[in-house]
Amino acid sequence: IAGITQAPTSQILAAGRRMTLRCTQDMRHNAMYWYRQDLGLGLRLIHYSNTAGTTGKGEVPDGYSVSRANTDDFPLTLASAVPSQTSVYFCASSPVEGSGYTFGSGTRLTVV
Amino acid sequence: KQEVTQIPAALSVPEGENLVLNCSFTDSAIYNLQWFRQDPGKGLTSLLLIQSSQREQTSGRLNASLDKSSGRSTLYIAASQPGDSATYLCAVNNNDMRFGAGTRLTVKP
């Protein structure tokens, strides 16, 4: 089934640890995005990539990094996790910039 | 900066009612507007995508309209069912997608 796969589904992480959230799509979409969703704040863009080899900062990029080595994969790394990064993280993709988005099912991350 | 507002924040209706969810945005220079559904603990499911040149889109019992000049969109749900209970999110695409806070809909049997 075509779509976006995120892993892990959920994770409890000790503060200060490094963590990479995985996102893979099989739709050959050019653009990919990482959002976090927090109660009362809605969905906020962390980082994006308009095409393989390029990345950009969204609204809340601090503490996160991304890479886009190929079209299908867009991992999000927390270099040293802090409790304020406790959130639900969603990966999304679109065929081209300005198209509709398809979302993954999310990763629920708790930093303790 | 694009601001997206959804009203009401929550809505409870009896089964069978027709209902309208509202979305407003501040910057009318958009590529498109997308309505999503999110069930508790789940991801976002796309319902309807309206391009900036379109006025409305329909899918089954759902109809979404777009008035760019006034910065408004509505999602109309006909003959609501308990299975429609979810949070509905409006997202507006300029150079990136900005989301409203959502409307939490409960349809009572």
Side-chain angles (χ1 to χ4, degrees), chain A residues 1-95:
Chain A
I1 298 176
I4 296 177
T5 301
Q6 290 188 237
T9 303
S10 65
Q11 181 77 44
I12 299 174
L13 185 68
R17 297 295 296 269
R18 181 184 179 89
M19 173 79 187
T20 295
L21 308 185
R22 300 185 297 279
C23 175
T24 300
Q25 54 106 355
D26 61 3
M27 299 173 285
R28 307 303 294 172
H29 284 179
N30 283 320
M32 297 187 75
Y33 314 88
W34 274 105
Y35 284 85
R36 61 178 290 174
Q37 186 175 36
D38 303 287
L39 196 62
L41 296 174
L43 280 143
R44 294 178 292 169
L45 182 65
I46 304 171
H47 284 287
Y48 65 92
S49 169
N50 289 329
T51 188
T54 69
T55 62
K57 294 181 180 180
E59 186 181 357
V60 288
D62 294 343
Y64 306 95
S65 63
V66 292
S67 62
R68 187 88 184 278
N70 57 61
T71 297
D72 299 342
D73 300 299
F74 191 43
L76 176 74
T77 297
L78 289 67
S80 178
V82 295
S84 62
Q85 292 178 309
T86 294
S87 186
V88 182
Y89 291 86
F90 288 102
C91 179
S93 71
S94 64

